[in-house]
Amino acid sequence: GAMSVDSITDLSDNSSKLLEALQLSHPHELDPRRSLGKKRMLSLNPITWQVPRIVDRCCKHIETYGLQTVGIFRVGSSKKRVQQLREEFDQGLDVFLDEHQNVHDVAALLKEFLRDMSDSLIPRELYAAFLSTASMEGPAQLVVLQLLLFLLPPCHSDTLHRLLQFLSKVAQHAKSSWGPSGQEIPGNKMTVSNLATIFGPNILQKEKPGEKDAGAMNFEDSSAIVLVVQRLIEHYETLFMV
């Protein structure tokens, strides 16, 4: 976040290596951007989206193979397979998730990653501020949430945006629908409220995982977390638009 460049082609090889080391991008992922050169419109973050590869690949896998999976994020997974995937990502291996991976294992891996981050996706110093928006209503609530999102570090902001975009897509497939031939396409039953209940405690944390009282949370905080994350999922497009 300390560099300002007009184009990714202006970056030195050392800077590109830095991005690779941070697991934010691979050189082959940067190539299409290089070919576009100066013609590409600049975003507020001109280098690349700062989303950990594990988050993006888990989201893409479930978007491709798991949107119709009933009870996604609620059904149990194989601890052994999840641990193996986790170790491969931790070692910096270029892990490709395809149809051979179990959707519930990938879902569990995503939840674990968010839960175990050393600093939660929404930084702990903003925990009380985000929770205070639960008592607000209407446009005022969204204005304050947007201002709080502007305070997030770029990596946290980009990753939260990717996650909310993904959760919104999962919720759109909650109800059963009908295909062109009249066949029923089962819904995953994961509404925005259900998703907020599962992901809320993982991205809005008061204490670090394993710390004293980390698991103990009063009912008011718990319900406020669900409400706030529900609003983030419902309105993420508006909230992240400058």
Side-chain angles (χ1 to χ4, degrees):
M3 290 184 287
S4 177
V5 292
D6 289 334
S7 162
I8 198 138
T9 53
D10 293 351
L11 288 172
S12 68
D13 288 338
N14 287 340
S15 301
S16 296
K17 290 292 182 190
L18 173 63
L19 288 178
E20 184 183 354
L22 290 172
Q23 288 204 353
L24 301 182
S25 207
H26 255 177
H28 67 79
E29 291 168 351
L30 299 180
D31 285 340
R33 293 170 185 259
R34 287 180 182 274
S35 65
L36 289 171
K38 300 283 184 182
K39 294 179 182 177
R40 186 172 180 273
M41 292 290 287
L42 292 178
S43 68
L44 291 178
N45 180 5
I47 300 172
T48 186
W49 277 87
Q50 296 187 32
V51 179
R53 193 179 300 133
I54 185 171
V55 172
D56 192 49
R57 292 203 173 159
C58 285
C59 290
K60 281 179 178 172
H61 180 270
I62 297 168
E63 286 168 347
T64 305
Y65 304 105
L67 291 179
Q68 264 83 45
T69 303
V70 178
I72 183 76
F73 297 114
R74 281 198 161 158
V75 174
S77 57
S78 162
K79 288 187 178 179
K80 184 178 179 181
R81 290 196 300 262
V82 173
Q83 184 61 30
Q84 184 179 350
L85 284 172
R86 182 171 175 156
E87 287 173 1
E88 288 175 1
F89 274 108
D90 281 345
Q91 290 165 14
L93 299 178
D94 200 4
V95 184
F96 286 97
L97 302 175
D98 54 27
E99 69 272 14
H100 300 296
Q101 269 83 33
N102 183 289
V103 169
H104 296 297
D105 294 344
V106 176
L109 180 66
L110 178 61
K111 283 194 297 184
E112 274 191 22
F113 177 80
L114 295 169
R115 181 195 69 202
D116 295 342
M117 286 174 67
S118 55
D119 189 10
S120 60
L121 191 51
I122 293 176
R124 291 182 180 85
E125 59 262 34
L126 295 176
Y127 174 86
F130 269 89
L131 252 60
S132 71
T133 66
S135 58
M136 301 175 184
E137 293 181 1
Q141 183 187 44
L142 297 183
V143 167
V144 176
L145 277 174
Q146 185 176 53
L147 291 172
L148 288 172
L149 289 172
F150 289 163
L151 296 177
L152 298 181
C155 187
H156 289 250
S157 177
D158 289 352
T159 305
L160 180 61
H161 181 270
R162 178 68 181 99
L163 179 68
L164 295 173
Q165 180 187 51
F166 161 70
L167 294 177
S168 175
K169 186 174 284 190
V170 172
Q172 287 167 20
H173 291 78
K175 294 181 180 178
S176 297
S177 57
W178 301 96
S181 307
Q183 77 275 24
E184 184 180 7
I185 302 171
N188 58 44
K189 302 190 185 306
M190 295 306 294
T191 62
V192 171
S193 176
N194 289 339
L195 291 168
T197 302
I198 289 171
F199 279 87
N202 289 329
I203 64 176
L204 260 175
Q205 300 174 6
K206 191 173 186 178
E207 312 287 348
K208 288 186 177 181
E211 274 190 2
K212 185 182 176 184
D213 297 331
M217 186 185 299
N218 61 48
F219 178 76
E220 288 79 11
D221 270 19
S222 182
S223 56
I225 286 172
V226 172
L227 197 148
V228 170
V229 174
Q230 192 170 331
R231 292 292 174 273
L232 290 174
I233 297 171
E234 290 168 342
H235 301 284
Y236 83 93
E237 288 180 282
T238 305
L239 293 171
F240 278 86
M241 187 178 294
V242 178

